[in-house]
Amino acid sequence: MRVDAWTLLAEARRAFPDKWHGLTDTDTRYRQRYVDLWVTEEARATFRLRSRLISLTRRFLEARDYVEVETPILHPIPGGATAQPFVTHHNTLDVDLYLRVAPELYLKRLVAGGMERVYEIGRVFRNEGLSPRHNTEFTMLELYEAYGDYHVHMALLEELVAHLATELVGGTKLTYQERELDLTPPWRRATMSDLVEERIGVRVDITTPIDDLRSLCDEHGVPWKPDQGPGKLLLELYEKTTEASLWDPVFVIDYPAEVSPLSRPHREVQGLVERFEAIVGGRELCNGFSELTDPDDQRSRFEDQARLKASGDAEAMSVDHDYLRALEYGLPPTVGLGVGIDRLVMLLADQPNIREVILFPTLRPEVGLE
RNA sequence: GCGCCUCUAGCUCAACGGCAGAGCAACGGACUCUUAAUCCGCAGGUUCUGGGUUCGAAUCCCAGGGGGCGCACCA
């Protein structure tokens, strides 16, 4: 080798980690991603996969005539999900604003305005606990389609996930955390009641007397409160006894209306709504439903939520009068779906922790760094 | 918020009540052989912090801090 000339492009004033062992301290990896990306090939691969996944998702939806939109992140009224929002303040307007917990209500305003297929991929913020599956801010894909019902979006979602798996990991049969997982459509559809029955061996549904539900909760160590109705108890039973035991993809369908303030009533069963969640690898991947389009029904559901909020439920929604006004102009039958992009990336990148798929995850601020 | 585990050189780790060490990286030199590993040399520490026990603490105890996992909350 013969050097004719050389120029110093950048100076490394700090020593890099061990070339062979790399970084094992996850705290350092997450705080100093600029070092992690240098030394951890797996991290580079994960974030490349994430980028491709989002790109493929856009192309998939655009091929189906979905239009990408951007809606406000600062909301005057938090809504669209039952979750605690962050509060901030606008100085000039002198009003409190909330970081969005979901884009849902704005996207449905757009459908009411004649945009029949819309989607948004964006950050939402929830002021709640952190875990290997929860980050304070995370990326949600939400999409809405006029003239469809929840069956339409179940089919779309399983097709999207199968497409992404094929493109990104070479097929729909994969291994997640050393366990086989088959994403090949069609996925099973099963009602919440049926799944709980399979698990605990007792038939429960929305008509089960509340005392029976309460004693079942006691029997399975599920805490309950006197003000919780049968729908809430059914959901609690499902979540505590059944959800984590589901592994291969399943659409859990037909949720209690009581816990679904934005969903359309079930076409056949009183007290239920046409809602579904996809559980994959024991984890919720998406949440969707035929949308509630009746402004009177929506108003009374909002009022129920507002009562919960007044009695101390920090996650309950408020009445959004402008949204009700939009419904009064007429929202066609519509289906909507929200997908946790981070969790989808975890699944396809075979990562067990959400922090592995977010470049700069939320951490306690570092002290003593000056 | 509660419980369990964890924190030693830039990084990966040892020392587990008796003088804080190694490998890699860095730095100086030799070598001109790329796909972790050449050789010689040199340097590197508030053992997370503060107390306590002890003749003696990285090691045992208490409190605090950071992180991980579980529970709770949630997606």
Side-chain angles (χ1 to χ4, degrees):
Chain A
M1 179 173 170
R2 179 194 159 96
V3 176
D4 292 322
W6 65 275
T7 308
L8 182 64
L9 296 176
E11 183 183 359
R13 296 191 182 185
R14 290 176 182 266
F16 279 83
D18 184 287
K19 196 196 293 181
W20 181 245
H21 295 97
L23 271 175
T24 59
D25 178 10
T26 53
D27 183 45
T28 307
R29 291 189 46 232
Y30 302 150
R31 286 189 196 279
Q32 301 182 43
R33 193 66 91 178
Y34 36 87
V35 179
D36 183 42
L37 289 169
W38 270 112
V39 301
T40 313
E41 165 57 30
E42 189 180 4
R44 290 196 294 273
T46 295
F47 290 111
R48 270 198 304 270
L49 183 144
R50 181 182 178 117
S51 168
R52 292 181 60 210
L53 182 146
I54 290 173
S55 171
L56 286 163
T57 299
R58 286 199 164 99
R59 278 187 262 163
F60 179 93
L61 291 172
E62 279 154 19
R64 285 158 182 76
D65 297 322
Y66 277 84
V67 173
E68 181 168 16
V69 296
E70 295 175 276
T71 63
I73 288 174
L74 296 172
H75 288 187
I77 299 166
T82 49
Q84 282 193 61
F86 285 90
V87 191
T88 186
H89 188 79
H90 192 294
N91 290 336
T92 306
L93 297 177
D94 192 24
V95 290
D96 282 338
L97 293 171
Y98 301 86
L99 272 61
R100 67 180 177 189
V101 295
E104 170 149 359
L105 299 181
Y106 282 96
L107 292 172
K108 283 192 280 194
R109 282 174 171 90
L110 296 178
V111 181
M115 299 183 75
E116 294 180 353
R117 294 184 181 196
V118 293
Y119 77 97
E120 178 165 10
I121 294 175
R123 207 69 61 82
V124 299
F125 307 85
R126 298 190 182 175
N127 203 342
E128 287 165 350
L130 300 170
S131 88
R133 290 160 294 282
H134 302 87
N135 197 61
T136 305
E137 46 183 299
F138 62 101
T139 300
M140 180 96 100
L141 161 67
E142 281 204 13
L143 52 150
Y144 291 85
E145 178 171 337
Y147 313 113
D149 64 10
Y150 68 151
H151 296 293
V152 169
H153 264 182
M154 282 189 266
L156 186 80
L157 189 274
E158 65 189 0
E159 196 185 334
L160 170 64
V161 172
H163 172 66
L164 294 173
T166 302
E167 292 292 320
L168 297 172
V169 301
T172 53
K173 290 183 176 155
L174 52 98
T175 302
Y176 183 70
Q177 297 297 293
E178 302 180 338
R179 205 171 151 187
E180 304 283 308
L181 185 58
D182 187 353
L183 302 175
T184 311
W187 298 352
R188 184 185 176 202
R189 274 86 166 147
T191 67
M192 180 179 287
S193 290
D194 287 346
L195 289 166
V196 173
E197 182 178 358
E198 282 175 20
R199 184 71 184 168
I200 69 172
V202 180
R203 181 68 202 174
V204 286
D205 59 37
I206 198 67
T207 66
T208 305
I210 189 137
D211 287 335
D212 293 0
L213 286 168
R214 285 172 177 168
S215 52
L216 277 171
C217 283
D218 290 338
E219 197 178 314
H220 290 90
V222 179
W224 54 271
K225 292 178 226 153
D227 60 334
Q228 292 174 329
K232 178 69 174 171
L233 295 186
L234 181 57
L235 178 71
E236 289 291 321
L237 263 178
Y238 158 74
E239 286 184 344
K240 298 293 188 300
T241 66
T242 306
E243 185 172 287
S245 70
L246 302 171
W247 181 257
D248 278 318
V250 56
F251 286 113
V252 183
I253 64 172
D254 298 347
Y255 279 62
E258 184 185 337
V259 295
S260 313
L262 303 168
S263 306
R264 187 183 191 90
H266 195 279
R267 63 195 75 180
E268 289 165 3
V269 187
Q270 181 87 18
L272 297 183
V273 293
E274 296 191 353
R275 175 177 168 193
F276 67 98
E277 291 190 358
I279 306 297
V280 183
R283 184 175 298 159
E284 183 185 335
L285 187 65
C286 77
N287 180 20
F289 35 85
S290 303
E291 302 297 338
L292 178 56
T293 55
D294 178 345
D296 298 325
D297 193 353
Q298 184 67 76
R299 185 181 302 277
S300 77
R301 306 256 204 117
F302 272 152
E303 284 166 356
D304 290 343
Q305 285 286 309
R307 269 192 291 278
L308 286 175
K309 196 179 192 75
S311 68
D313 184 345
E315 288 156 11
M317 298 182 200
S318 307
V319 181
D320 188 331
H321 294 283
D322 176 69
Y323 179 69
L324 291 170
R325 180 164 59 188
L327 293 186
E328 285 163 5
Y329 279 96
L331 177 65
T334 297
V335 58
L337 171 62
V339 183
I341 290 293
D342 312 275
R343 289 189 175 177
L344 193 49
V345 176
M346 287 167 69
L347 193 67
L348 296 180
D350 192 18
Q351 292 295 341
N353 193 316
I354 197 167
R355 291 173 166 184
E356 294 291 348
V357 305
I358 292 173
L359 282 166
F360 299 100
T362 306
L363 299 171
R364 203 179 291 274
E366 197 170 352
V367 293
L369 183 66
E370 289 186 356

